[in-house]
Amino acid sequence: MSSSAIQDSPRLSASSLLFAHDAVARPGYERTRLQRGIVHLGLGAFHRAHQALYTDAVIAQGDLRWGILGVSLRDPRVSDVLARQDTLYSVTARHGDEARMRVVGALRGALFAPRDLGQVMAAIADPSVSIVTSTVTEKGYSQHPATADLDIDDADMRHDIAHPESPRTTLGVLAAGIRSRPTGSALTLVCCDNMAGNGDTLRRLLVQYADLFDARLARRIESDIGCPNSMVDRIVPAATPASLDWAAARLGLRDEAAIVCEPFTQWVIEDRFAGLRPAWEDAGALLTSDVRPYQAMKLRLLNGTHSALAYAGQLCGLDTVADAMAHPLTGRFARRLMLEDLHATVAPPPGYDVLAYCHDLLERFENPSLAHRTQQIAMDGTQKIPVRWLPALRESLAAGVERPQLERALASWLHYLATGRSDSGTTLVISDPGADALAARVRQAANDVDAANAALAHGPVFGTQPWPPAFAERLAGHLSTLRHGGMTALLAG
Ligand code: CS2
């Protein structure tokens, strides 16, 4: 199909779905009978390609209670696009020449919280909703980076504390909805963001927030609301004009919310629900009593290596993860970081072969059909690095073990933040609200040793415990190498 024909294809909707290409799987249930059992906060591509698909599979097995009301909190574009498509969208799992496309019907509505706040709060308050899932990114939980407690200095949080009935933040919206729920109606919040102890963190912050204006609500959240920890995994790059055109040609319809992602998917959830839940295990999720080993394995090995590829890729002018994996220096760096440094810090979850897991990960990163941009993963490093790299580094240094590749990764991130330029001089787009303060410390230092020490003393990222002087010296050495010879010098040898 020519590109103008692709642009002009009819738009995906409940009525046009009939005309989708035959190979496309579609909702195997009557959508008009779907009830609303889940509210989801953060309607980005990840949710739509992950939790929504597990739920879609449960619904397709005949349990029609679990339709999802999707809520965007920051940007109305996705909810508006979905609303125009009768909340239908396609997901294509793609690796190399293999591609499987399905149209997902699990969304029962798509709202934009700042505009549709009353409806959002009413849905969270509705006793027939027994689950609220969230993917609002690490920075979406109003957590103070230095203290890990509620960030009461944040402007939106200050607004919510003063006006809890018209909230702007994730915590504010959740608390306002829960406050209006009839007592005794069980609710579970399933946090699906990449944070260690994500459910515990959400509960703690929500209780701290509620305590500021309604102590009874805080006690109720503490005792009645389920907050299981969960580990989520699927590589889901942001859509691009090219991926939307590719999906339209395959679908035979224009889908402005189309997702192209990897085939792999994993969801491990603690079985600590307060009330009803979909039988997600029938769709492949693992329900377990302790998710921490799975979280540590995934956050360190997958996300840790991803972040390293992102900064190395940005500095070397490599646009995608697959490009960075294919590049001799950055590809070798990623393999060594994962297999030599990070692997050694991970305790295997029950029955897991962590080395096999690593090799699968490397193959997933090499997937040539995903345009997973290094710039996307490089975002919000000040939120991600303390979760992905620093626990492994701290533990190793405390045991007297050096992690040479991880230390290089850390230096490359600081260099990226401080210079804002690739090795060839291209200006990089850095998107991280917490970055300026850290970058300024490195930039203003008189020499590399001061720069390393100043960075490590930045509590919001590196914590308040001192770091070993010998480690700071090695970091300074890497910063100097980077200044003089860029990533090629850092990764050579
Ligand atoms: C990535 C993750 O953007 C990022 O920071 O590391 O989104 C990653 O793709 C997912 O966690 C994979 O499950």
Side-chain angles (χ1 to χ4, degrees):
M1 220 191 285
S2 74
S3 72
S4 65
I6 292 167
Q7 298 285 348
D8 296 343
S9 306
R11 186 73 177 262
L12 171 63
S13 69
S15 50
S16 71
L17 184 57
L18 207 60
F19 305 106
H21 289 162
D22 288 348
V24 178
R26 39 204 101 195
Y29 48 88
E30 239 180 89
R31 287 187 81 221
T32 47
R33 292 182 44 224
L34 202 53
Q35 296 154 38
R36 182 180 68 189
I38 299 177
V39 171
H40 179 79
L41 305 180
L43 203 39
F46 185 77
H47 165 71
R48 288 181 286 124
H50 190 273
Q51 305 101 63
L53 274 183
Y54 284 84
T55 306
D56 197 59
V58 173
I59 297 168
Q61 288 169 19
D63 191 349
L64 294 170
R65 288 173 297 175
W66 300 111
I68 303 169
L69 173 71
V71 179
S72 297
L73 291 148
R74 300 260 156 241
D75 187 331
R77 274 175 296 185
V78 175
S79 47
D80 288 354
V81 158
L82 285 165
R84 280 201 297 277
Q85 298 185 174
D86 301 320
T87 58
L88 289 169
Y89 63 95
S90 63
V91 174
T92 310
R94 195 172 173 206
H95 196 126
D97 293 340
E98 275 178 45
R100 273 177 300 113
M101 181 180 243
R102 63 176 318 110
V103 170
V104 182
L107 284 179
R108 240 186 123 263
L111 300 178
F112 177 49
R115 184 183 57 207
D116 308 316
L117 193 58
Q119 286 181 68
V120 173
M121 295 197 306
I124 298 175
D126 177 357
S128 58
V129 166
S130 59
I131 309 271
V132 179
T133 47
S134 57
T135 49
V136 295
T137 78
E138 297 89 337
K139 64 174 184 273
Y141 294 95
S142 311
Q143 186 173 27
H144 193 285
T147 62
D149 285 329
L150 187 71
D151 186 358
I152 50 173
D153 297 331
D154 171 75
D156 284 341
M157 183 37 79
R158 278 210 310 269
H159 168 275
D160 286 9
I161 294 167
H163 309 283
E165 65 300 334
S166 57
R168 293 178 182 162
T169 66
T170 307
L171 298 183
V173 170
L174 281 170
I178 294 170
R179 212 177 184 190
S180 317
R181 272 179 87 87
T183 37
S185 59
L187 180 70
T188 302
L189 310 178
V190 187
C191 174
C192 299
D193 279 291
N194 282 322
M195 308 180 301
N198 49 7
D200 297 336
T201 304
L202 170 57
R203 179 202 299 278
R204 195 166 47 78
L205 295 168
L206 194 57
V207 168
Q208 287 180 1
Y209 166 67
D211 245 332
L212 295 173
F213 60 90
D214 183 343
R216 273 186 47 202
L217 175 65
R219 299 294 81 73
R220 195 173 147 202
I221 293 168
E222 256 171 352
S223 55
D224 295 356
I225 306 282
C227 287
N229 295 305
S230 82
M231 180 270 250
V232 291
D233 188 10
R234 186 167 214 181
I235 294 177
V236 187
T240 61
S243 73
L244 293 178
D245 284 352
W246 183 89
R250 202 165 179 96
L251 181 61
L253 298 168
R254 191 82 207 156
D255 172 9
E256 296 299 337
I259 294 167
V260 179
C261 62
E262 67 169 348
F264 182 91
T265 178
Q266 189 177 25
W267 195 6
V268 186
I269 320 166
E270 276 171 7
D271 204 354
R272 295 201 272 121
F273 285 74
L276 295 175
R277 66 166 176 81
W280 280 318
E281 65 274 35
D282 294 347
L286 177 66
L287 276 293
T288 176
S289 58
D290 185 6
V291 96
R292 280 171 306 181
Y294 297 92
Q295 277 185 332
M297 176 177 75
K298 190 257 171 175
L299 292 170
R300 291 183 186 196
L301 296 169
L302 189 158
N303 298 108
T305 310
H306 241 182
S307 287
L309 280 164
Y311 302 117
Q314 284 287 287
L315 288 168
C316 295
L318 301 163
D319 272 350
T320 68
V321 172
D323 293 343
M325 286 299 290
H327 185 280
L329 276 184
T330 51
R332 189 179 63 137
F333 170 53
R335 286 183 187 86
R336 293 187 66 189
L337 172 70
M338 187 190 287
L339 298 170
E340 294 171 18
D341 282 13
L342 295 171
H343 172 248
T345 75
V346 169
Y352 249 82
D353 176 348
V354 181
L355 200 57
Y357 177 84
C358 288
H359 287 293
D360 289 347
L361 281 181
L362 292 167
E363 208 180 306
R364 290 167 62 193
F365 291 169
E366 284 161 5
N367 187 341
S369 39
L370 296 185
H372 199 187
R373 298 178 63 220
T374 49
Q375 192 195 321
Q376 185 189 348
I377 302 167
M379 280 165 55
D380 291 335
T382 55
Q383 300 274 336
K384 293 175 178 176
I385 298 311
V387 174
R388 300 174 177 202
W389 294 349
L390 300 186
L393 198 54
R394 273 249 190 244
E395 286 165 23
S396 302
L397 293 171
V401 180
E402 292 178 22
R403 298 289 177 210
Q405 309 310 326
L406 192 49
E407 294 180 9
R408 285 188 171 82
L410 190 57
S412 70
W413 176 51
L414 295 175
H415 180 73
Y416 155 92
L417 290 181
T419 61
R421 285 182 185 282
S422 74
D423 286 357
S424 64
T426 310
T427 303
L428 299 170
V429 179
I430 297 181
S431 168
D432 177 356
D436 283 350
L438 176 57
R441 280 173 174 256
V442 179
R443 252 184 247 128
Q444 285 156 15
N447 53 51
D448 295 312
V449 175
D450 285 358
N453 282 315
L456 294 175
H458 185 59
V461 170
F462 290 94
T464 46
Q465 292 243 71
W467 292 82
F471 160 63
E473 271 167 41
R474 292 195 296 276
L475 193 59
H478 292 325
L479 289 176
S480 159
T481 306
L482 279 162
R483 270 193 316 103
H484 294 109
M487 285 302 280
T488 315
L490 184 77
L491 301 184

